[in-house]
Amino acid sequence: MAPTDHPDFAALRRLADERWTCRQFKPDQVERATIEQLLALGQRTPSWCNTQPWQIVVTAGDGTDRFRKELLAHIQTAANTPDFEFPVAYEGVYRERRRACGFQLYDSVGIVKGDHEKTMRQMVRNFELFDAPHVAIVTSEADLGVYGAIDCGLWLENFLLGAQALGLGAAPQAALASYSPFIHEYFGIPDTRKVVFGVSFGYPDLDHPINSFRTARAPLDDQVTWHTS
């Protein structure tokens, strides 16, 4: 059997191809059993020495609404203070890819270049959690440094593919980690842990135009170098 004909690989490839970042959710709550099923899949994530550094805070119902409201109030006056340093700059191809994604997003909702008011309003949607009924805040043990964060990234991939398989939408958000001190205080997260990212999730609103675009991926030749001798 050729590798591309393997049914398990085909299923995984299909989920990876179909997964997308949801930026508008329906208000419907996801059943607790479904969320637990998704989190249990995350627990199968491999990690350095099986340390499993991720810990997750999950909100639902009034818990999400209250967090959303207080986070929005907080960002009006607070400065960005992430636990992990954000990228210093986007240059070259990274800048091009970032801009392409941004233009697709803005075009989908009719924001023209130079409309700073609407651009800022769309940015704030991150902190409204895109109206998602749930958010997961993911933290790592501070002493594990960047490798704990890498393990959390592996957890995120399983979470995103699992959400796709269950018919859910999800939006991984570094933006939430940019206000890490607030996250620590609000959820009682000790300083021995670092906020890595948040994930807003729920049932996607497939009729909203912001959920209509899909980003491209670079060809393998742009990313892979072979050494065969």
Side-chain angles (χ1 to χ4, degrees):
M1 180 182 291
T4 53
D5 294 333
H6 196 292
D8 290 344
F9 182 86
L12 181 60
R13 178 58 191 260
R14 178 180 59 80
L15 290 173
D17 285 344
E18 294 178 355
R19 190 215 64 81
W20 50 283
T21 296
C22 180
R23 293 182 176 87
Q24 182 62 50
F25 295 86
K26 294 180 178 179
D28 311 67
Q29 297 286 305
V30 178
E31 298 81 355
R32 176 71 172 263
T34 300
I35 298 176
E36 290 181 347
Q37 182 182 9
L38 186 54
L39 295 172
L41 176 66
Q43 283 304 111
R44 302 308 306 166
T45 300
S47 57
W48 187 318
C49 298
N50 197 34
T51 49
Q52 305 171 60
W54 51 82
Q55 288 187 3
I56 303 98
V57 175
V58 180
T59 69
D62 291 343
T64 304
D65 292 338
R66 180 171 174 266
F67 172 65
R68 180 174 16 240
K69 179 180 178 180
E70 296 200 18
L71 176 61
L72 277 169
H74 176 77
I75 69 167
Q76 304 304 317
T77 57
N80 291 354
T81 315
D83 283 345
F84 286 97
E85 183 179 355
F86 273 24
V88 175
Y90 295 89
E91 301 292 349
V93 68
Y94 309 113
R95 182 173 184 267
E96 294 171 9
R97 293 170 185 167
R98 186 171 185 257
R99 283 168 57 86
C101 178
F103 286 140
Q104 283 183 277
L105 190 159
Y106 295 144
D107 286 346
S108 73
V109 290
I111 299 176
V112 299
K113 185 177 180 180
D115 191 332
H116 301 297
E117 182 178 348
K118 288 186 177 179
T119 299
M120 180 60 67
R121 178 73 190 105
Q122 184 58 47
M123 185 278 293
V124 171
R125 293 289 291 148
N126 278 280
F127 306 101
E128 294 174 345
L129 313 178
F130 306 118
D131 297 334
H134 308 280
V135 67
I137 303 296
V138 181
T139 67
S140 177
E141 191 68 21
D143 286 347
L144 298 180
V146 65
Y147 290 100
I150 289 172
D151 288 340
C152 289
L154 294 175
W155 178 94
L156 175 63
E157 178 71 359
N158 277 345
F159 186 93
L160 296 177
L161 293 180
Q164 181 69 28
L166 292 171
L168 300 175
Q173 294 177 266
L176 302 185
S178 65
Y179 292 94
S180 289
F182 171 81
I183 301 289
H184 278 272
E185 181 178 0
Y186 187 89
F187 291 112
I189 298 169
D191 292 339
T192 54
R193 302 198 61 80
K194 289 190 174 185
V195 178
V196 189
F197 52 77
V199 191
S200 294
F201 67 99
Y203 293 104
D205 181 352
L206 298 177
D207 293 328
H208 197 286
I210 203 167
N211 287 332
S212 64
F213 75 91
R214 301 292 181 268
T215 53
R217 293 296 182 271
L220 283 181
D221 288 346
D222 287 359
Q223 308 295 113
V224 180
T225 301
W226 295 89
H227 287 263
T228 59
S229 61

